Amino acid sequence: MSNYEIDSIAKIFDDLGINDYYISFSGNKGYHIDLFFDDLIAIEQAKKFFNHVLDEADIRQYFDDGNKVEYRPTDKQGIKLPLGKHQKSKKYCGFCLVENGLKVMTEKQSEKYLMSIKKVQSSVILDILNERPKDNIDRDIFIKTEDAIAQHKPLPQYEQSEESTASIAIDYLQNGLKVKRSRNKVTVLLASYLKYSGLEPEECKQILYDWMQKQDTNTYTTPLKDCFKDIDNVVRYTYQNDYQLSSIKRDLTVTFEEIDSIIQNCPEKNQKLLAYALLIHSKRHSNEEGVFFMTFEQMHQATGLYDQALQRQINKLAELGVIEIVKRDQKVAGDKHKPNQYRMTLKMVSENDSANQMSMSEIIPFSSVLQYFYDDSQLKKVLPRRQFEQLVKVG
């Protein structure tokens, strides 16, 4: 948002009697205005209020591709929190006031100002819109869902970025080097991707050794033993400096057949949770043959289950035909092993049948996916009572 738009919107808030709004500098070209709610408000009502304010401010006429007011959060754009630094400009994203000419507060001033923030009651917004609260918002269920035992936790590497190169790395892993004098650059990219995928340094090095040995000798001139030394240096640098690689957004569609297959083939609750975690991970990281690796630490992060239980349940899922363990117990160095490689063997829906698919723009908890494909009466029939209470009937 520009200075003019901030001034216009702030005036409308004041005219509407809303004094508890907070402006912060984005760290780059614009500003953010945040309202903090004390209770729940429906998304459609929040968006309606957003459009109401823009209409009252009469600023849409000044919008263009690089200058417009955006509603946040959405399924594609999150909220940029204040009190940090912009990744590119390195400028501080502090609070500011219209009456001070939008001069950005210092870190100390912003932190003190943060403690004075007040929340707005949703009823204030609904009165302005002349609307009633939505009946389908249940505060107790909303709060309890956040702590639900069945919640699938998105792993950190699932976060998306528009500047990502993960798909390029996957292509190089599958198809190899394409041109001469690209080995060093590609090695750095692959090390970053493998780190991003959860591998330890020794595991990363072994995969890169194997990959390097398969490359066409016409695409590089350095002796192979020196290529291995380069790999050692690249991996050490990547992990020591915590080099990050973000991922482009890959299509993530879950089908009824996949979820129903998990329910029908996994008798135990933990088997269902782990199968769902593996399914989601496979959709992010599997190659063209459907093969992917997932460390036990990643499984723990996604399910809350611990190592011994995970190893036991992985073997059971293979016995049940839910997954195939493509490779396991591959030694790297000493007592260390590469993570196992898996392939999902759940029933898939045909590509042209979209009626029974759920498209995700973010990772959805298993409980929510169940409720998307089934109603409660159906779930009570396909799930044991205790599992229904743990996986669906939160609280």
Side-chain angles (χ1 to χ4, degrees), residues 1-3 6-7 10 19-34 82-83 92-107 109-114 116-117:
M1 269 187 258
S2 67
N3 292 42
I6 286 287
D7 288 340
N19 306 117
D20 299 321
Y21 59 90
Y22 301 91
I23 305 169
S24 61
F25 177 52
S26 71
N28 192 12
K29 297 179 181 179
Y31 297 83
H32 301 282
I33 299 182
D34 296 310
L83 308 189
Y92 181 65
C93 305
F95 288 109
C96 41
L97 301 172
V98 172
E99 54 265 37
N100 291 341
L102 297 179
K103 179 182 177 181
V104 181
M105 298 179 191
T106 64
E107 291 188 24
Q109 290 170 333
S110 291
E111 289 170 2
K112 183 178 180 180
Y113 184 73
L114 176 67
S116 69
I117 283 179

Side-chain angles (χ1 to χ4, degrees), residues 135-356:
D135 294 333
N136 61 346
I137 297 181
D138 188 314
R139 180 181 178 84
D140 291 333
I141 289 180
F142 176 83
I143 294 173
K144 291 175 182 176
T145 299
E146 293 183 332
D147 298 322
I149 189 172
Q151 179 118 336
H152 176 89
K153 300 176 182 177
L155 299 181
Q157 63 266 33
Y158 291 161
E159 295 178 3
Q160 307 297 320
S161 167
E162 63 186 4
E163 299 177 341
S164 175
T165 51
S167 61
I168 300 174
I170 293 171
D171 181 63
Y172 277 119
L173 278 174
Q174 294 174 350
N175 303 312
L177 294 170
K178 299 175 176 61
V179 295
K180 289 183 178 180
R181 294 185 293 276
S182 64
R183 178 181 61 85
N184 285 331
K185 182 178 179 180
V186 172
T187 302
V188 172
L189 174 65
L190 294 182
S192 302
Y193 173 73
L194 294 171
K195 175 181 176 294
Y196 151 87
S197 298
L199 272 68
E200 295 298 321
E202 289 301 320
E203 299 167 336
C204 176
K205 278 196 282 189
Q206 189 58 53
I207 288 177
L208 290 177
Y209 292 161
D210 295 345
W211 175 82
M212 193 67 227
Q213 287 179 309
K214 297 175 183 177
Q215 300 311 302
D216 185 344
T217 54
N218 292 321
T219 59
Y220 66 96
T221 57
T222 304
L224 190 58
K225 62 182 180 63
D226 292 331
C227 292
F228 290 159
K229 291 180 182 178
D230 290 340
I231 288 172
D232 291 344
N233 291 331
V234 167
V235 171
R236 183 173 61 254
Y237 173 84
T238 300
Y239 282 78
Q240 284 180 351
N241 292 277
D242 195 25
Y243 193 81
Q244 298 296 320
L245 176 77
S246 47
S247 168
I248 61 170
K249 195 165 187 177
R250 298 179 71 180
D251 290 338
L252 179 49
T253 300
V254 176
T255 70
F256 169 79
E257 283 79 2
E258 290 168 337
I259 301 302
D260 193 60
S261 183
I262 288 176
I263 291 179
Q264 300 298 333
N265 292 287
C266 300
E268 300 176 16
K269 180 202 71 176
N270 288 345
Q271 292 168 3
K272 292 179 173 69
L273 293 177
L274 181 55
Y276 179 68
L278 288 162
L279 175 65
I280 295 299
H281 198 76
S282 73
K283 291 177 180 289
R284 294 292 189 200
H285 294 291
S286 61
N287 61 21
E288 292 178 349
E289 288 75 42
V291 177
F292 64 97
F293 47 78
M294 187 175 188
T295 67
F296 284 115
E297 176 59 28
Q298 290 173 322
M299 295 179 198
H300 165 65
Q301 291 177 33
T303 65
L305 302 176
Y306 285 91
D307 193 67
Q308 189 173 4
L310 288 169
Q311 292 186 38
R312 183 174 63 253
Q313 295 296 0
I314 279 289
N315 291 331
K316 287 186 177 180
L317 290 181
E319 294 172 4
L320 293 167
V322 174
I323 63 170
E324 174 190 355
I325 304 177
V326 180
K327 290 183 180 180
R328 73 187 310 166
D329 297 330
Q330 291 181 288
K331 286 192 175 181
V332 178
D335 294 329
K336 295 188 176 181
H337 294 76
K338 292 183 186 179
N340 295 342
Q341 294 185 24
Y342 308 100
R343 181 187 289 112
M344 302 302 299
T345 52
L346 298 171
K347 182 179 179 182
M348 302 289 287
V349 69
S350 60
E351 292 183 0
N352 59 359
D353 183 2
S354 60
N356 291 324

